[in-house]
Amino acid sequence: MISNNGQNKQLPNELTSTFKELQVLKHLRKAGITKTFGFSCGFLFQLIFCLIFENKNWFRTLESKKSVDFPTKDAVYRFLNKSTFAWRRFLLFLSAHTIGKVTRLSNHDRPKVLVLDDSSYDRNRSKSVELLARCFDHASQKMRFYKGFRMLTLGWSDGATFIPVDFSLLSSKTSQINGITSKIDKRSSGYKRRLEALQSAPEQIPDMIQRALNAGIDASYVLMDTWFTHQPLIKNIKELGIDVIGMVKNLKQRYFVDGERVSLNDLYRLAAPIQGKKGLLRSIQTTQANGVLVKMVFVRNRNKKSEWLAILSTDCTLDDQEIIRIYGIRWDIEVFFKTTKSLLKLQKEFQGRSYDSLISHTTIVFTRYMVLSWQNRCSTDQRTLGGMFYELCDEISDLDWAIALQQLIELLEDTLKESNKKIQKLIKSQLQHWVAGLPNYIKAYLPISVCES
């Protein structure tokens, strides 16, 4: 945890180096997230960032013996509730910078993609949360209704590393429980995000992709599941200069083949069968009703082998297997949703009522995932994100004994200075022998002078 004195010294070693490498605090200032007095925004950001690794929430932290070193509860909640902070700009700056570093580690020919999906953001026990709505969870096996938001998320992936880029917490105009507070400044970025929350997902998606491309994020395809792969949205994304690969539902959408309008079932019957490729059934080039040329690949449904699934690509130059392989990268965003909710305390850590607090905390959680993703990419072993998360927890819990060990060595050195040279030589020899036998991860916490002696 971070104390008031020397706030950077008590961050775990891995986090300190990663924060500097990704320039997290620089991007925070660049986005205009600053304060003129009191605890700095960088300090408060790091404090909230590290809570998860301490295995404590903010209430338990303030109840602990170290509470005198921390700001009051109001300081943190004022930071989270500030409507003028441009959290989207911060996330775009940080993700673009991180993606640039990841791209340098990737093969130039490796496809880079933007992945689009939504997930439930539950607030079932809440009553007074701003813009709270009754939403339908189409991804749940129970097909349930819940109170909360739909978290529309745009991420980037190269097949090995997933980086969140942008998000929007969608409310509803028709199923809204609470409205927008009247106290909000209508000139602020917080008010603009509230207006976006009342838009539909297809209205927001082209703007999200355009912001990512304007930020310099390199991607060749947008991957979507059946809930978003509709012809008007595909055309809008294609007009942005980026291709779409997505799974298609068998709805009323029509396609042109030799001048005839056909359904998806008819398209399957017209497609030429493919021999000798397991799971790959048929493929055909066709034109959507709105004039967009696409390639449709039909694969066997592994859950029900008597049925088929259709995958669409607006890049007709790709071969069938490459379309399926690239579409498989879409699963990275499902892993992201699971990790942020199960390990990183998304929607659980802070129970704020303002829409700004939801946006700010979600951005901090996305930053946690980004830091873990970058460390995972840079590590030489095959650690999972979950394993790396628990290693960081262990490192932070060891900080107290590490500081105590440093103080013990420093006290011993001060005592040596007051003794005669013969005793100094004897004790230093024993100390050097003891330090040499310590594991490297313990040596990292010792003063440099001791390690060098």
Side-chain angles (χ1 to χ4, degrees):
M1 187 61 71
I2 306 167
S3 67
N4 195 6
N5 297 322
Q7 54 186 276
N8 293 321
K9 293 181 180 178
Q10 292 190 31
L11 278 174
N13 293 336
E14 291 187 33
L15 283 182
T16 302
S17 60
T18 306
F19 261 58
K20 291 180 180 177
E21 199 170 8
L22 300 182
Q23 301 178 3
V24 176
L25 300 184
K26 176 184 176 181
H27 295 308
L28 203 66
R29 293 190 298 270
K30 190 178 175 182
I33 302 177
T34 57
K35 289 172 63 179
T36 54
F37 59 89
F39 288 92
S40 69
C41 288
F43 173 78
L44 295 172
F45 181 90
Q46 291 177 87
L47 179 63
I48 298 169
F49 185 96
C50 288
L51 281 177
I52 184 69
F53 303 111
E54 186 73 13
N55 291 320
K56 289 181 181 178
N57 58 24
W58 182 231
F59 172 77
R60 290 299 174 192
T61 302
L62 291 178
E63 291 291 310
S64 67
K65 296 178 182 178
K66 300 178 181 179
S67 60
V68 293
D69 295 329
F70 301 132
T72 61
K73 179 180 71 172
D74 292 344
V76 169
Y77 278 99
R78 279 196 300 268
F79 172 71
L80 292 174
N81 292 333
K82 192 74 170 175
S83 62
T84 57
F85 288 165
W87 288 104
R88 171 170 283 150
R89 190 190 298 176
F90 162 72
L91 188 62
L92 273 174
F93 286 156
L94 181 59
S95 60
H97 180 76
T98 307
I99 289 168
K101 297 178 76 66
V102 171
T103 302
R104 288 194 286 272
L105 302 177
S106 304
N107 190 323
H108 181 71
D109 298 328
R110 192 184 191 114
K112 285 88 175 175
V113 299
L114 292 173
V115 188
L116 191 70
D117 203 0
D118 66 343
S119 181
S120 62
Y121 190 100
D122 290 7
R123 291 299 295 264
N124 276 317
R125 298 179 63 186
S126 301
K127 294 181 180 179
S128 304
V129 173
E130 189 179 1
L131 286 173
L132 188 71
R134 189 169 179 265
C135 304
F136 178 67
D137 186 5
H138 59 80
S140 173
Q141 292 181 347
K142 298 179 180 179
M143 303 295 279
R144 65 188 178 96
F145 282 92
Y146 65 93
K147 286 196 298 184
F149 305 86
R150 285 175 59 209
M151 187 173 68
L152 180 65
T153 305
L154 181 71
W156 177 94
S157 178
D158 63 350
T161 302
F162 180 85
I163 303 294
V165 173
D166 200 355
F167 72 94
S168 182
L169 295 179
L170 302 182
S171 181
S172 172
K173 288 182 179 179
T174 57
S175 304
Q176 191 179 113
I177 298 173
N178 299 319
I180 299 176
T181 178
S182 59
K183 299 178 181 179
I184 183 72
D185 186 349
K186 294 184 179 180
R187 300 168 298 178
S188 64
S189 59
Y191 181 72
K192 294 175 184 176
R193 295 200 75 157
R194 285 165 168 81
L195 294 180
E196 288 179 3
L198 299 175
Q199 294 178 341
S200 65
E203 288 178 300
Q204 293 202 41
I205 288 170
D207 291 335
M208 295 176 77
I209 295 172
Q210 188 64 66
R211 282 194 294 266
L213 297 177
N214 291 343
I217 293 174
D218 178 27
S220 303
Y221 305 99
V222 176
L223 308 184
M224 305 185 294
D225 66 2
T226 55
W227 289 94
F228 300 102
T229 313
H230 298 290
Q231 293 187 8
L233 182 57
I234 292 171
K235 184 177 182 180
N236 290 338
I237 295 175
K238 182 69 176 173
E239 288 173 351
L240 297 176
I242 188 168
D243 286 300
V244 176
I245 298 177
M247 190 170 287
V248 183
K249 238 179 190 178
N250 189 10
L251 300 173
K252 295 181 179 180
Q253 302 181 81
R254 292 293 181 261
Y255 305 88
F256 285 105
V257 177
D258 296 331
E260 294 185 10
R261 287 168 60 91
V262 297
S263 66
L264 193 61
N265 282 328
D266 296 331
L267 202 61
Y268 175 77
R269 286 190 287 269
L270 292 170
I274 298 173
Q275 303 295 333
K277 294 184 179 178
K278 186 177 179 181
L280 189 57
L281 302 178
R282 306 178 180 214
S283 71
I284 188 172
Q285 285 194 24
T286 182
T287 304
Q288 292 185 155
N290 56 12
V292 178
L293 185 66
V294 298
K295 186 175 187 179
M296 198 74 71
V297 180
F298 297 93
V299 297
R300 192 177 304 282
N301 188 345
R302 289 188 295 181
N303 297 324
K304 197 171 182 181
K305 294 189 177 180
S306 61
E307 296 181 355
W308 46 261
L309 301 172
I311 300 175
L312 172 149
S313 171
T314 58
D315 185 359
C316 299
T317 61
L318 293 174
D319 63 51
D320 302 339
Q321 289 183 314
E322 183 68 4
I323 290 172
I324 297 169
R325 190 189 71 80
I326 293 174
Y327 181 74
I329 301 174
R330 199 201 70 82
W331 186 252
D332 288 354
I333 200 169
E334 304 292 350
V335 177
F336 166 75
F337 288 145
K338 182 66 175 178
T339 303
T340 52
K341 291 180 181 181
S342 300
L343 294 177
L344 304 182
K345 295 287 183 70
L346 180 68
Q347 71 193 11
K348 297 177 183 176
E349 192 171 31
F350 283 89
Q351 296 296 316
R353 295 181 180 180
S354 79
Y355 190 75
D356 296 305
S357 68
L358 304 180
I359 293 295
S360 57
H361 182 255
T362 302
T363 305
I364 294 172
V365 171
F366 281 22
T367 306
R368 289 171 180 165
Y369 188 91
M370 215 178 299
V371 167
L372 291 173
S373 292
W374 173 245
Q375 290 183 337
N376 186 54
R377 186 61 180 261
C378 293
S379 63
T380 55
D381 56 8
Q382 299 298 317
R383 293 182 293 180
T384 63
L385 282 172
M388 185 165 289
F389 165 77
Y390 286 115
E391 286 184 17
L392 278 174
C393 290
D394 292 339
E395 185 174 357
I396 289 188
S397 64
D398 292 340
L399 285 176
D400 289 339
W401 72 258
I403 293 170
L405 185 60
Q406 286 186 0
Q407 292 175 348
L408 179 63
I409 297 296
E410 290 169 1
L411 180 64
L412 186 58
E413 285 184 329
D414 292 338
T415 306
L416 282 175
K417 291 176 183 177
E418 299 177 1
S419 59
N420 60 54
K421 292 184 179 180
K422 188 175 181 180
I423 295 176
Q424 283 183 18
K425 187 176 180 180
L426 177 64
I427 295 178
K428 279 188 176 181
S429 175
Q430 293 292 327
L431 182 61
Q432 184 179 358
H433 181 72
W434 175 69
V435 169
L438 292 176
N440 289 331
Y441 73 91
I442 294 181
K443 289 180 182 178
Y445 289 110
L446 297 176
I448 297 175
S449 60
V450 175
C451 296
E452 291 176 348
S453 62

